[in-house]
Amino acid sequence: MRFAGKGPRLALPEAARLLLPAGRTPVWLRQVHGRTVLAARAGCAGEGDAVVSRDGRHALVVATADCVPVLLAGDGVIAAAHAGWRGIAAGVVAATVARMAVPGASIVAWIGPAIGPCCYEVGEDVAARVVAASAPDVARPGPRGRPHLDLPAAVARQLASAGVRRVRRLDDCTRCRPERWWSYRREGRGAGRNLALICRAAGGSEG
Ligand SMILES: [Zn+2]
């Protein structure tokens, strides 16, 4: 399990190979802010926002720049999901857990760097959709009167609802930490991407 932020600007496959242990095959997605969960295959697994693998050689990679990267490991299965507000509202987290096909209690999840409630001002419509998909307390009024959303908290609530109790959160706001993470809200279209990677360690546990 690894969250990698600012470094040299490289194409995703090249960056993944540099970050992964030798012998691991990177698997990535053409992310579209939906709830489609794909079965892993080497290289680009297709258009979707989560991927699941039972192949010990696979390393799953999602790319983000404010959205929430979620990495999961269960009994013999790993998964990675890209969850922005649209994916959270669409239910990508629950869909990923369901596709892992193991009890939620056996799953460990990591919530990586994402834009925090300090910085994520949104419209009332967006806040309402994420609240409806998670819990009321993930939105609160910001200093300018518009709601601020806590996307990592929304993901945590969805994981809990899916039976995943062991959740570790980085709670590092991408927009507040320019030295460490890329942020779409801060850098706009020129933003690079943060990578979240998960693969099985040689001993069989996630690493
Ligand atoms: Zn912030």
Side-chain angles (χ1 to χ4, degrees), residues 116 118-119 173 175-176:
C118 40
C119 293
C173 173
R175 190 167 182 269
C176 284

Side-chain angles (χ1 to χ4, degrees), residues 87-201:
I88 291 168
V92 71
V93 174
T96 304
V97 173
R99 186 71 174 266
M100 292 173 77
V102 293
S106 75
I107 295 174
V108 181
W110 293 264
I111 297 174
I115 195 163
C118 40
C119 293
Y120 197 43
E121 183 182 288
V122 297
E124 297 283 354
D125 52 337
V126 168
R129 287 172 66 180
V130 173
V131 161
S134 57
D137 61 3
V138 306
R140 53 181 181 237
R144 301 198 302 165
R146 280 157 57 89
H148 279 219
L149 265 183
D150 188 340
L151 293 183
V155 168
R157 294 299 287 260
Q158 292 188 325
L159 286 167
S161 296
V164 180
R165 301 275 176 259
R166 289 181 290 167
V167 179
R168 289 155 203 185
R169 284 170 63 169
L170 200 59
D171 280 328
D172 207 4
C173 173
T174 45
R175 190 167 182 269
C176 284
R177 295 285 300 274
E179 75 285 6
R180 185 153 190 198
W181 308 113
W182 295 104
S183 165
Y184 192 86
R185 278 276 173 116
R186 190 183 61 239
E187 284 145 339
R189 294 170 69 91
R193 292 294 180 270
N194 307 308
L195 297 184
L197 311 96
I198 185 166
C199 62
R200 292 267 158 202

